[in-house]
């Protein structure tokens, strides 16, 4: 793997994806909109109640309500931050391939010493880096705001800066985004229409979200029925490890499947 | 140096196997311009794609400067430059960025400086910051050629470099190709422009799925038509056309108006004998010239012959 070539591909992808201000704003706007939504929901619906509960608990008075009910809200936030990068990666990843198709620039690109692995690594990094950075910034703003509101660490929502959150936001989310990019690359490589490629890829985001939510619901069901722990660190570690393996395997498949000859004819 | 041995490429299609390139064998000496001529769909681009490691041959071998196709592909890619049929530039990027990007991909040490050098050479310096999408066809082609030569490759594959260009730009491109040759680079030139091939190429290969002929334009001309002499006479008697065959070195003779066309092997030695014979018969010779068949005539004759054989 030659880093200079990977960086060159990243540079190319970004130039193609962020042609003008609208594209840049769209990429940054999605995490921002989600962040504002979460903050608004917390501020309007829950902040006062949560603060009251904290105050009551501080006086040593026991509550009828189950604190785990509140943890579910925190877990919902966690899922949102895990899938947040997925919304931007589709746009960036599909733009690169579709521009290559439109400008017929693949042939000269593939005639360079760029390897298949470098091409895919460049495309994946180009797509996930801005999306993941935007979601990380959103997460940090979220944590800071929660702390400012007095419901930050070790509150009844769960610990926003604890191991589970760090693992989810900084490990699971990027790998999930990586997997999404590979799926997008595969879809875009098979279609000639920009709109169709984007729609199919966006549907994949929904599908992945459903799978994740399904897993969470399954865990939640176990929690209610059998009082098994809800979204614990061990479960998340398994998810993270599974995702890493999934990304590496799909990347391997991509590189194996898309040899120069295949890319040249399939991505035409 | 390019060495090709029995290079073959088959494609599977709905109607069965398509033989795009059939047992191609040829050799291009270092520092030469080789003209690869053939009609549309003859397999020229497929050949170039195989030689630039974009397509895998079905069978056969080839080497570029000693590096074997299929074994040393990375070395070959680093040492060859490719101008594709369509320029394939990034329209949203500036001309300079298009070049520096490829400089980085080819591992050029000072990609920006090299890009500046080629922008000056191609007379694109003033437009270096403009997005390529706003360029004319000629400017795009010049930029694509600069990109192909940016990493100073030993071998360049140029697919229709002057196609659709106005005469000024075409001349600039041709001069650039000659400059590359003068630097000792080997150039494999696919073209339909026979006049250009004649002007630029040391050797040409005429190709239609298989190699029909390869040689210098001069030798091909001689092989096909011999050396045809035209004797312009004040008057011509028809019996002279048949009588001239008495001279053993005359292989073909025909008459048109007051001109006698004779094919001979060595006109420097044989023309005086013909003149003596004609004068003996009472002919009055006004001029003697050698007919120079155009490359177009050679090309058409060979391609048509190949078509008839198939």
């Amino acid at each position: 793997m030659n880093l200079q070539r990977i960086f060159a591909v990243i540079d190319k992808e970004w130039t193609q994806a962020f042609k003008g201000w609208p594209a840049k704003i769209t990429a940054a706007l999605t995490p921002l909109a989600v962040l504002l939504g979460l903050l608004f929901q917390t501020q309007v619906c829950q902040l006062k109640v949560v603060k009251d509960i904290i105050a009551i608990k501080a006086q040593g008075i026991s509550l009828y309500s189950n604190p785990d009910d509140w943890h579910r809200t925190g877990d919902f936030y966690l899922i949102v931050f895990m899938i947040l990068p997925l919304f931007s990666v589709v746009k960036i990843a599909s733009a690169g391939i579709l521009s290559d198709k439109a400008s017929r620039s693949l042939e000269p690109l593939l005639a360079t010493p760029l390897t298949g692995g470098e091409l895919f690594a460049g495309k994946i990094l180009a797509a996930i880096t801005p999306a993941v950075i935007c979601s990380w910034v959103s997460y940090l703003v979220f944590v800071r705001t929660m702390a400012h509101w007095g419901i930050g660490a070790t509150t009844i929502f769960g610990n926003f800066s604890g191991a589970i959150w760090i693992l989810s936001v900084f490990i699971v989310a990027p790998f999930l985004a990586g997997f999404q990019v590979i799926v997008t690359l595969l879809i875009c490589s098979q279609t000639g229409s920009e709109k169709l490629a984007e729609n199919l890829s966006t549907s994949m985001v929904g599908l992945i979200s459903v799978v994740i939510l399904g897993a969470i619901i399954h865990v939640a069901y176990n929690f209610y029925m059998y009082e098994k722990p809800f979204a614990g660190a061990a479960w998340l570690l398994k998810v993270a490890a599974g995702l890493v393996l999934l990304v590496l395997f799909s990347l391997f498949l991509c590189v194996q499947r898309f040899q120069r000859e295949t890319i040249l004819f399939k991505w035409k | 140096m390019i060495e090709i041995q029995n290079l073959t490429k088959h494609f599977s299609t709905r109607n069965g196997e398509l033989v795009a390139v059939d047992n191609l064998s040829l050799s291009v000496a270092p520092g030469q311009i080789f003209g690869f001529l053939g009609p549309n769909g003859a397999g020229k681009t497929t050949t170039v794609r195989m030689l630039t490691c974009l397509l895998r041959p079905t069978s056969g071998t080839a080497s570029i400067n000693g590096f074997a196709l299929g074994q040393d592909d990375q070395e070959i890619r680093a040492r060859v430059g490719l101008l594709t049929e369509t320029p394939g530039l990034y329209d949203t990027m500036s001309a300079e960025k298009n070049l520096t990007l490829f400089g980085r991909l080819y591992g050029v040490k000072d990609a920006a400086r090299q890009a500046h050098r080629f922008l000056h050479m191609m007379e694109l310096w003033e437009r270096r910051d403009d997005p390529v999408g706003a360029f004319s066809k000629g400017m795009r082609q010049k930029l694509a050629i600069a990109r192909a030569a940016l990493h100073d490759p030993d071998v360049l594959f140029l697919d229709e470099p002057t196609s659709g260009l106005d005469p000024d730009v075409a001349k600039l491109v041709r001069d650039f190709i000659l400059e590359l040759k003068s630097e000792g680079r080997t150039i494999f030139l696919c073209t339909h422009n026979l006049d250009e091939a004649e002007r630029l190429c040391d050797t040409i290969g005429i190709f239609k799925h298989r190699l029909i002929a390869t040689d210098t334009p001069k030798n091909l001309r001689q092989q096909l038509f011999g050396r045809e002499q035209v004797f312009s006479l004040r008057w011509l008697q028809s019996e002279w056309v048949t009588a001239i065959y008495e001279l053993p070195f005359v292989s073909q003779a025909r008459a048109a108006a007051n001109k006698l066309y004779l094919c001979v092997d060595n006109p420097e030695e044989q023309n005086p004998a013909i003149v003596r014979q004609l004068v003996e018969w009472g002919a009055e010779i006004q001029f003697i010239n050698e007919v120079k068949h155009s490359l177009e005539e050679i090309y058409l004759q060979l391609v048509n012959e190949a078509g008839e054989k198939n």
Side-chain angles (χ1 to χ4, degrees):
Chain A
M1 286 272 186
N2 180 311
L3 282 179
Q4 192 190 6
R5 290 200 288 260
I6 293 174
F7 287 137
V9 174
I10 292 173
D11 195 6
K12 172 193 92 67
E13 293 286 311
W14 284 350
T15 312
Q16 286 173 304
F18 303 119
K19 281 176 212 163
W21 283 108
K24 287 175 195 155
I25 289 167
T26 308
L29 209 62
T30 314
L32 185 68
V34 172
L35 171 70
L36 289 175
L38 290 183
L39 292 178
F40 179 77
Q41 197 257 355
T42 310
Q43 173 72 27
V44 171
C45 308
Q46 287 161 338
L47 190 59
K48 190 172 183 319
V49 182
V50 171
K51 278 189 172 174
D52 287 346
I53 293 169
I54 292 169
I56 292 165
K57 282 179 83 177
Q59 290 167 20
I61 301 166
S62 65
L63 289 164
Y64 288 112
S65 67
N66 185 349
D68 288 318
D69 290 345
W70 293 98
H71 271 260
R72 280 211 305 282
T73 309
D75 288 330
F76 166 71
Y77 289 173
L78 185 66
I79 294 163
V80 170
F81 278 107
M82 270 200 284
I83 61 172
L84 193 55
L86 304 190
F87 297 98
S88 310
V89 294
V90 175
K91 180 83 188 159
I92 304 168
S94 58
I97 291 188
L98 297 169
S99 301
D100 278 335
K101 282 184 179 187
S103 61
R104 297 188 168 198
S105 50
L106 267 169
E107 196 171 347
L109 184 73
L110 295 173
T112 68
L114 181 74
T115 64
E118 287 160 359
L119 176 68
F120 281 103
K123 280 186 178 289
I124 291 167
L125 286 173
I128 65 168
T129 307
V132 164
I133 286 175
C134 283
S135 73
W136 284 354
V137 169
S138 300
Y139 163 71
L140 293 173
V141 172
F142 176 76
V143 170
R144 190 78 194 88
T145 311
M146 287 301 185
H148 178 70
W149 286 344
I151 52 170
T154 61
T155 72
I156 57 168
F157 268 149
N159 187 354
F160 294 131
S161 46
I164 293 175
W165 274 76
I166 299 289
L167 189 68
S168 304
V169 175
F170 291 96
I171 307 289
V172 177
F175 275 94
L176 202 56
F179 180 62
Q180 173 65 37
V181 174
I182 295 170
V183 170
T184 308
L185 291 179
L186 285 166
I187 291 172
C188 290
S189 65
Q190 305 295 319
T191 62
S193 150
E194 187 166 356
K195 273 278 163 258
L196 180 66
E198 272 186 24
N199 290 342
L200 282 173
S201 306
T202 312
S203 308
M204 283 307 296
V205 176
L207 193 65
I208 290 173
S209 307
V210 165
V211 169
I212 292 168
L213 286 174
I216 300 284
I217 288 164
H218 173 72
V219 178
Y221 175 78
N222 279 342
F223 166 72
Y224 282 115
M225 295 299 289
Y226 312 110
E227 296 193 349
K228 285 185 180 173
F230 184 67
W235 175 76
L236 265 173
L237 268 175
K238 280 180 200 165
V239 171
L243 267 173
V244 172
L245 289 176
L246 188 66
V247 167
L248 291 178
F249 178 68
S250 46
L251 184 61
F252 171 75
L253 274 185
C254 253
V255 174
Q256 287 298 308
R257 173 154 168 59
F258 289 109
Q259 296 299 321
R260 274 175 158 76
E261 188 160 342
T262 324
I263 294 175
L264 200 63
F265 289 112
K266 284 267 180 191
W267 292 13
K268 235 177 178 177
Chain B
M1 173 151 194
I2 305 170
E3 285 282 355
I4 305 171
Q5 280 297 320
N6 303 320
L7 202 67
T8 301
K9 180 70 183 175
H10 295 183
F11 288 110
S12 296
T13 65
R14 282 177 195 169
N15 305 324
E17 285 266 287
L18 171 79
V19 183
V21 179
D22 186 16
N23 272 307
L24 172 66
S25 298
L26 63 86
S27 167
V28 182
Q32 275 208 339
I33 302 182
F34 178 79
F36 201 47
L37 311 181
N40 288 329
K44 301 190 298 293
T45 301
T46 302
T47 305
V48 168
R49 282 178 173 170
M50 284 194 283
L51 295 175
T52 50
C53 310
L54 287 166
L55 294 183
R56 284 206 195 107
T58 307
S59 62
T61 58
S63 70
I64 313 279
N65 276 10
F67 294 104
L69 211 67
Q71 289 167 28
D72 311 311
D73 287 0
Q74 281 298 90
E75 282 81 0
I76 292 175
R77 287 184 194 116
R79 284 166 179 81
V80 305
L82 170 66
L83 171 74
T84 48
E85 231 173 338
T86 47
L89 298 160
Y90 298 110
D91 287 352
T92 50
M93 287 186 197
S94 68
E96 185 175 352
K97 192 156 186 188
N98 263 282
L99 291 188
T100 47
L101 168 74
F102 275 81
R104 287 162 69 192
L105 289 171
Y106 277 110
V108 175
K109 274 190 183 163
D110 192 346
R113 197 171 153 188
Q114 188 77 336
H116 290 177
R117 191 184 134 215
F118 278 91
L119 285 167
H120 279 295
M121 282 168 84
M122 284 298 180
E123 299 174 1
L124 291 169
W125 179 248
E126 302 299 322
R127 300 287 303 271
R128 66 189 179 280
D129 294 326
D130 293 352
V132 169
F135 277 18
S136 68
K137 185 174 180 181
M139 290 165 76
R140 294 167 72 86
Q141 189 73 346
K142 285 196 288 184
L143 190 64
I145 293 169
R147 181 186 60 193
L150 189 72
H151 55 295
D152 291 329
D154 302 328
V155 179
L156 274 123
F157 292 89
L158 307 177
D159 203 347
E160 302 290 348
T162 58
S163 168
L165 301 184
D166 66 51
D168 280 356
V169 179
K171 186 181 180 308
L172 180 85
V173 169
R174 277 197 293 270
D175 290 346
F176 182 68
I177 293 170
L178 288 172
E179 195 172 324
L180 291 170
K181 186 198 171 188
S182 72
E183 290 169 1
R185 301 184 206 288
T186 310
I187 294 161
F188 194 95
L189 179 75
C190 293
T191 184
H192 283 116
N193 188 334
L194 301 174
D195 175 53
E196 178 176 281
E198 181 137 41
R199 275 199 255 175
L200 293 176
C201 300
D202 301 296
T203 315
I204 57 166
I206 295 177
F207 181 78
K208 190 177 176 184
H209 303 301
R210 59 184 183 80
L211 193 64
I212 300 166
T214 180
D215 212 323
T216 61
K218 188 182 165 194
N219 287 350
L220 278 177
R221 196 174 279 128
Q222 203 167 333
Q223 281 168 30
L224 269 182
F225 301 104
R227 291 182 70 180
E228 199 171 30
Q229 312 298 303
V230 54
F231 293 81
S232 301
L233 308 174
R234 190 176 290 276
W235 69 86
L236 176 67
Q237 292 185 14
S238 55
E239 59 265 27
W240 293 348
V241 180
T242 42
I244 200 78
Y245 278 111
E246 286 169 14
L247 297 174
F249 45 79
V250 174
S251 56
Q252 279 181 42
R254 63 189 171 92
N258 282 341
K259 289 182 176 133
L260 185 62
Y261 294 84
L262 304 177
C263 282
V264 295
D265 299 327
N266 189 355
E268 290 81 1
E269 294 293 322
Q270 295 155 351
N271 274 359
I274 296 169
V275 169
R276 274 198 300 276
Q277 183 62 74
L278 288 170
V279 169
E280 199 176 296
W281 289 337
E284 289 183 19
I285 301 168
Q286 293 171 311
F287 308 103
I288 304 173
N289 296 103
E290 185 159 323
V291 178
K292 195 179 176 191
H293 290 276
S294 68
L295 189 57
E296 190 176 353
E297 287 174 276
I298 300 170
Y299 171 84
L300 289 174
Q301 172 120 355
L302 287 169
V303 169
N304 290 340
E305 276 177 17
E308 280 163 21
K309 276 180 198 166
N310 288 337

